């Protein structure tokens, strides 16, 4: 993984280059808000946007990119198949719909959003078909634990290129990171800032002060030094720029360990083994 500047990329297990820092757009409102956020991000040098059909803003993502002046092929776009759309045929239809919303003819990375029990292997077969047809440059999964990953690997032809999971100083899951590294699956973090939770942790405030950076910058840098691709979300121009300004300092090994030690196995989102009720009740 190359983390010298915002153009840094990591080579996925199929040879595709994935930018190490992207903009997340969960809860960025469809229309002006998501379009403006992406335009700020592209101006700051980001070339990676993470959306999902569930976020209901794929149309704005497409519009922002088309009107930005940056060529489509220079931007890495991720979207995801939602739980209600899982199964082979349903996933193929959901993908067509995402492309239509984005108004694009391919995406760079297509992910299974959550491991819907009894369905995710069929869903994966649909992703393999899309990949083999060249309609997606890489395929992966999200919210998959080690046992889900083993299930996919043992029952299919393509090893996921990426796993996108909740990851921040309160949820490190080092054995899962090690498993992914060993199996050449790129780890990617969602909610790297713990949806604001990191700003309340004193150790992080002290370390940020030591490096003369903000807590957000410290944590984004910690992600990258751990070999994790990261997609912090903001709809504010100054924060989007701040979150990209992480390439002029290095966290020492000792301080990396201090941050790792904040792990409490604490989640902001659902547990991947028990999420179906979470979404039914929300
Ligand atoms: N695969 C999945 O299941 C899944 C689940 C959740 C998220 N994701 C992806 O991961 C992305 C990031 O996760 P997230 O959106 O949940 O949370 P996050 O990036 O950890 O935190 C976002 C929150 O932090 C604030 N923020 C951002 N930069 C800041 C800064 N420099 N200073 C102070 N506050 C700052 C944002 O506010 P403002 O926007 O108001 O600036 C927002 O409230 C999502 O957008 C989405 O693309 C994926």
């Amino acid at each position: 993984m190359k983390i010298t500047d915002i153009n840094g990329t990591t080579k996925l297990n199929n040879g595709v280059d994935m930018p190490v820092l992207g903009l997340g757009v969960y809860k960025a409102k469809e229309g002006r808000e998501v379009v403006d956020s992406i335009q700020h991000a592209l101006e700051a040098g980001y070339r990676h946007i993470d959306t999902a059909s569930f976020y209901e803003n794929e149309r704005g993502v497409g519009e922002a990119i088309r009107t930005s002046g940056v060529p489509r092929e220079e931007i890495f776009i991720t979207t995801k198949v939602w739980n209600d759309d899982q199964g082979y045929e349903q996933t193929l239809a959901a993908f067509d719909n995402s492309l239509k919303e984005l108004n694009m003819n391919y995406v760079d990375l297509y992910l299974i959003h959550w491991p819907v029990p009894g369905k995710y292997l069929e869903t994966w077969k649909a992703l393999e078909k899309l990949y083999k047809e060249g309609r997606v440059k890489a395929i992966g999964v999200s919210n998959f634990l080690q046992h889900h990953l083993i299930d996919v690997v043992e029952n299919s032809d393509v090893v996921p290129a990426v796993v996108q999971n909740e990851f921040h100083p309160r949820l490190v899951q080092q054995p899962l990171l090690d498993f992914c590294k060993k199996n050449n699956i790129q780890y990617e973090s969602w909610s790297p800032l713990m949806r604001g939770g990191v700003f309340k942790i004193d150790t992080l405030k002290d370390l940020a002060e030591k490096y003369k950076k903000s807590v957000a910058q410290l944590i984004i840098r910690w992600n990258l030094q751990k070999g994790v691709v990261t997609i912090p979300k903001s709809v504010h121009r100054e924060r989007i720029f701040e979150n990209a300004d992480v390439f002029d300092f290095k966290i020492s090994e000792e301080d990396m360990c201090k941050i790792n030690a904040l792990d409490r196995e604490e989640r902001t989102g659902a547990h991947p083994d028990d999420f179906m009720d979470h979404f039914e009740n929300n």
Side-chain angles (χ1 to χ4, degrees), residues 26 50 142-143 164 191 193 195 233-236 239 243:
Y26 181 38
D50 182 87
S142 181
N143 301 299
Q164 182 188 107
S191 290
L193 304 176
R195 297 186 172 151
K233 174 261 177 186
S234 177
V235 295
H236 292 100
R239 290 179 177 173
N243 294 348

Side-chain angles (χ1 to χ4, degrees), residues 116-184:
V116 175
K119 287 206 174 163
Y120 65 80
L121 286 179
E122 281 305 301
T123 304
W124 185 251
K125 287 202 192 327
L127 264 61
E128 287 184 313
K129 175 178 159 68
L130 295 167
Y131 175 59
K132 284 172 188 165
E133 289 173 351
R135 300 177 78 204
V136 296
K137 304 282 184 211
I139 52 176
V141 294
S142 181
N143 301 299
F144 277 47
L145 300 176
Q146 186 168 324
H147 70 91
H148 298 114
L149 290 168
I150 291 172
D151 199 18
V152 170
V153 169
E154 286 182 351
N155 290 289
S156 58
D157 299 333
V158 182
V159 174
V162 172
V163 57
Q164 182 188 107
N165 282 356
E166 182 172 350
F167 175 83
H168 43 66
R170 292 293 193 215
L171 184 70
V172 179
Q173 300 185 104
Q174 191 61 47
L176 182 56
L177 258 66
D178 294 341
F179 173 85
C180 289
K181 189 159 193 192
K182 194 163 152 236
N183 289 280
N184 210 1

Side-chain angles (χ1 to χ4, degrees), residues 37-57:
S37 311
I38 293 173
Q39 289 182 342
H40 298 321
L42 293 174
E43 205 186 307
Y46 293 69
R47 290 294 180 270
H48 171 183
I49 310 295
D50 182 87
T51 185
S53 60
F54 182 65
Y55 305 168
E56 296 182 338
N57 58 16

